[in-house]
Amino acid sequence: MKTKTRVKKTSAKKATTPKAHEPTHKNLDIYGAKPIPWSRALKQLSTAAGTYWLATTNPDGRPHVAGVGALWVDGKIYFVSGMRTRKSRNLAANPSCVVSVSLTGIDLVIEGTAIRVTDRPTLLRLAKRYADQGWPASVTGAAFTAAYSAPSAGPAPWSLYVVKPSTAFGVASSDPSGATRWRFASARQGLPRR
């Protein structure tokens, strides 16, 4: 007599790891709204212009906030600043910073570290992006020059900085509502939970 062996069928579990280049998220909404998808923030960053605010730390520990002409390119924030400005001097001493922007339907706060960009291909590419938006920047040496800039940038030449996000917070300012924190892959290692 033959005995039947039962084979238990198992279904594959869905991956819980984020897609490549997708940050992890935590829902911060206390009213029951779903988490804001990063794609909603990304769409606004990629297509919309907004006023960007850079927060740095003064030598005595006080915060310093200034408006900057920023661009979101390839998952990073680029901005310019004159070498003698308070924000540039602060970044030279402590590159940790926060960039905030109010976009259509979502307000974002992005934490990261600012690094001065000096490689010519990136400078040329970003000068073109700025020129396409109406600021006629050109590259001289390892910095930008132009006939004019925003008063907060200080006198020329202007250094180009890049901030790769480590953590971002989003609060919806229109429906669908919500509040979310995103952590980016490079920043997840060794960070305390908050």
Side-chain angles (χ1 to χ4, degrees):
M1 179 162 146
K2 291 184 181 179
T3 59
K4 292 185 180 179
T5 306
R6 285 190 165 178
V7 177
K8 186 177 180 180
K9 291 184 179 180
T10 58
S11 58
K13 290 185 179 181
K14 284 190 173 182
T16 56
T17 56
K19 297 175 189 172
H21 305 294
E22 284 287 318
T24 60
H25 70 274
K26 179 178 180 181
N27 191 356
L28 302 178
D29 189 271
I30 60 173
Y31 300 107
K34 292 181 180 180
I36 300 169
W38 177 245
S39 59
R40 179 176 173 188
L42 188 57
K43 180 180 178 185
Q44 288 298 312
L45 285 166
S46 300
T47 61
T51 301
Y52 288 79
W53 299 91
L54 173 70
T56 60
T57 305
N58 284 318
D60 64 2
R62 290 179 303 121
H64 177 268
V65 178
V68 291
L71 297 173
W72 176 266
V73 179
D74 300 331
K76 301 175 205 95
I77 298 169
Y78 289 87
F79 66 91
V80 297
S81 179
M83 292 179 224
R84 295 181 300 201
T85 62
R86 168 51 53 201
K87 58 188 166 295
S88 288
R89 293 191 320 257
N90 286 350
L91 291 171
N94 179 358
S96 296
C97 63
V98 175
V99 178
S100 301
V101 60
S102 182
L103 301 166
T104 304
I106 189 167
D107 297 329
L108 296 174
V109 174
I110 300 168
E111 299 175 348
T113 301
I115 299 168
R116 186 166 174 240
V117 176
T118 57
D119 70 281
R120 191 160 180 82
T122 303
L123 289 167
L124 291 169
R125 186 168 59 98
L126 269 293
K128 181 175 178 352
R129 292 291 291 264
Y130 275 110
D132 290 347
Q133 290 196 350
W135 182 49
S138 61
V139 177
T140 302
F144 287 168
T145 58
Y148 62 88
S149 187
S152 66
W158 300 287
S159 296
L160 177 67
Y161 291 89
V162 62
V163 177
K164 185 174 183 181
S166 58
T167 305
F169 299 87
V171 177
S173 56
S174 66
D175 287 333
S177 62
T180 302
R181 180 200 65 212
W182 300 278
R183 280 240 171 86
F184 296 83
S186 61
R188 284 196 287 265
Q189 300 151 345
L191 284 181
R193 291 267 184 219
R194 59 174 182 176

XYZ file of all heavy atoms in Angstrom, residues 38-48:
88
model
N 7.135 58.682 -1.033
C 8.276 59.510 -1.439
C 8.085 60.028 -2.858
O 8.520 61.115 -3.200
C 9.581 58.735 -1.294
C 10.763 59.520 -1.762
C 11.580 59.234 -2.821
C 11.255 60.760 -1.224
N 12.543 60.195 -2.969
C 12.366 61.148 -1.997
C 10.867 61.576 -0.163
C 13.089 62.308 -1.740
C 11.591 62.730 0.084
C 12.680 63.086 -0.691
N 7.388 59.274 -3.689
C 7.160 59.696 -5.075
C 6.416 61.030 -5.134
O 6.644 61.827 -6.043
C 6.394 58.629 -5.851
O 5.142 58.364 -5.231
N 5.556 61.296 -4.155
C 4.840 62.581 -4.127
C 5.812 63.726 -3.867
O 5.762 64.767 -4.529
C 3.757 62.547 -3.046
C 2.970 63.837 -2.926
C 1.850 63.694 -1.911
N 1.189 64.958 -1.662
C 0.283 65.138 -0.724
N -0.102 64.121 0.032
N -0.258 66.325 -0.540
N 6.719 63.540 -2.917
C 7.725 64.561 -2.637
C 8.673 64.709 -3.825
O 9.007 65.819 -4.241
C 8.501 64.208 -1.375
N 9.083 63.587 -4.377
C 10.026 63.593 -5.490
C 9.462 64.306 -6.711
O 10.160 65.070 -7.379
C 10.414 62.151 -5.836
C 11.527 61.951 -6.832
C 12.795 62.648 -6.367
C 11.781 60.469 -7.037
N 8.192 64.082 -6.998
C 7.558 64.754 -8.140
C 7.623 66.267 -7.974
O 7.951 66.996 -8.906
C 6.110 64.294 -8.288
C 5.392 64.942 -9.452
C 3.968 64.455 -9.570
C 3.278 65.165 -10.724
N 1.864 64.808 -10.814
N 7.343 66.740 -6.784
C 7.393 68.179 -6.532
C 8.819 68.712 -6.598
O 9.069 69.777 -7.147
C 6.768 68.501 -5.179
C 5.274 68.365 -5.159
C 4.626 69.330 -6.123
O 4.930 70.512 -6.175
N 3.724 68.815 -6.931
N 9.765 67.977 -6.033
C 11.160 68.414 -6.071
C 11.677 68.484 -7.504
O 12.439 69.375 -7.860
C 12.040 67.470 -5.253
C 11.952 67.601 -3.751
C 12.607 66.399 -3.076
C 12.588 68.895 -3.280
N 11.280 67.515 -8.311
C 11.797 67.414 -9.676
C 11.175 68.409 -10.639
O 11.801 68.795 -11.620
C 11.568 66.001 -10.212
O 12.221 65.067 -9.398
N 9.934 68.819 -10.387
C 9.241 69.649 -11.371
C 8.910 71.052 -10.895
O 8.606 71.905 -11.710
C 7.929 68.974 -11.815
O 7.068 68.815 -10.682
C 8.192 67.631 -12.459
N 8.936 71.285 -9.617
C 8.477 72.570 -9.105
C 9.631 73.411 -8.571
O 10.608 72.889 -8.051
C 7.454 72.358 -7.986
